[in-house]
Every structure is written in structure tokens, then in C-alpha cells.
Amino acid sequence: MEFVVGILLLLTFFGLAFYCIKGHNLMIGFLVITIAWTLLSFLGAAFASPEFLADTAFYADGAPKKIIDILKSAGAPGSAAS
């Protein structure tokens, strides 16, 4: 499923480029691609394999981390973001 979502993300990106090259409204293109990528990310998280989810930084012990824990760790000393 991860590969399918990745391919769909690439297709939507090239679709946006084609849409813009044709001279259509860029803001509408950004709106559509934002909605599409949001839906694809939810779809990917819903159907991703447990092995894939275990390897991501946003999941701990098979359950999603809380957003506040992710934000706290992002600014912690010694983290990659600081």
C-alpha cells in the first residue's frame, strides 16, 4: 500500500504541473492537490502495514503518538530539529 500511495502522490504532483502549464488557476490547483495529499496520507495511514508503521517516528508500540509529544520532542535538546 505504501508504494501505491507514493505513486499516487507523484502522479498528483505531475498532474498539478500539467494543470499549471496549461494555464489554469494555480490557487485552485494548490487547493486540489492539498486536499488530495491529505486524503492520501489518511488512506496510507489507515491501510499501511504494521511493519511500516512501527518504523515511523509518529508511532510508538503500534499506537499513534500524541501530537503534543511529537512537538515536545521536536524542540528537545539533542533532537535533530534543535
Side-chain angles (χ1 to χ4, degrees), residues 24-45:
H24 295 288
N25 190 340
L26 186 60
M27 291 304 293
I28 298 298
F30 281 146
L31 176 67
V32 170
I33 202 167
T34 301
I35 293 169
W37 283 15
T38 302
L39 293 176
L40 284 172
S41 69
F42 287 134
L43 178 74

Side-chain angles (χ1 to χ4, degrees), residues 57-73:
F58 301 112
Y59 284 83
D61 301 324
K65 287 185 182 178
K66 293 185 174 137
I67 188 71
I68 193 71
D69 295 333
I70 295 169
L71 292 174
K72 284 181 183 177
S73 68

